[in-house]
């Protein structure tokens, strides 16, 4: 079974790369329905090694989260969500650890799963 994010991390899968480090890579999500991500500037940060989810290898998770925070600062994302999902019930759809860096703007209309409906 192939892993889409492993393919991207090794350069064999298609992706729009935003930033790279020796241990991680940052990409834009695939375009779906004419939209790329849930807000403008949404980025995924993924480790170069295969890690199923955040609990699989906590140190890799910590490094990946740190890279997402570093990128948020570099890009000037003063207001953003830095989140990961673990498990299908928690809406993980690709089972290779990835951290969502989601810039937020007032009135962007994005309600997270634990937010009250607007």
């Amino acid at each position: 079974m192939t892993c889409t994010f492993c393919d991207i991390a090794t350069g064999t899968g298609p992706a729009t790369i935003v930033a790279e480090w020796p241990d991680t890579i940052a990409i834009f999500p695939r375009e779906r329905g004419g939209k790329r991500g849930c807000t403008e500037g949404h980025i995924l940060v993924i480790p170069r090694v295969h890690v199923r989810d955040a609990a699989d290898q906590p140190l890799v998770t910590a490094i990946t989260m740190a890279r997402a925070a570093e990128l948020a600062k570099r890009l000037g994302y003063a207001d953003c969500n830095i989140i990961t999902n673990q498990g299908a019930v928690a809406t993980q759809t690709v089972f290779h650890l990835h951290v969502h860096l989601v810039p937020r703007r007032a009135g962007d209309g994005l309600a997270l799963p634990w937010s009250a409906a607007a």
Side-chain angles (χ1 to χ4, degrees):
M1 191 157 108
T2 63
C3 172
T4 302
F5 285 170
C6 284
D7 290 346
I8 291 169
T10 60
T12 60
T16 303
I17 298 170
V18 177
E20 293 186 75
W21 301 266
D23 46 26
T24 54
I25 188 168
I27 62 171
F28 284 121
R30 284 185 302 179
E31 188 173 314
R32 292 183 183 175
K35 193 173 177 191
R36 193 177 286 278
C38 57
T39 65
E40 185 179 335
H42 181 176
I43 295 169
L44 302 175
V45 181
I46 59 176
R48 290 187 184 271
V49 297
H50 185 80
V51 174
R52 179 177 167 79
D53 57 41
D56 187 26
Q57 293 186 41
L59 292 177
V60 173
T61 301
I63 290 166
T64 306
M65 186 66 73
R67 296 299 191 197
E70 176 186 324
L71 188 56
K73 183 174 183 173
R74 183 186 325 161
L75 296 175
Y77 290 3
D79 297 303
C80 64
N81 294 110
I82 300 175
I83 35 183
T84 190
N85 306 318
Q86 181 174 306
V89 173
T91 69
Q92 183 180 6
T93 57
V94 177
F95 290 89
H96 179 121
L97 171 67
H98 55 288
V99 174
H100 296 263
L101 175 54
V102 183
R104 302 302 304 270
R105 293 160 189 87
D108 63 17
L110 179 62
L112 294 173
W114 55 84
S115 298

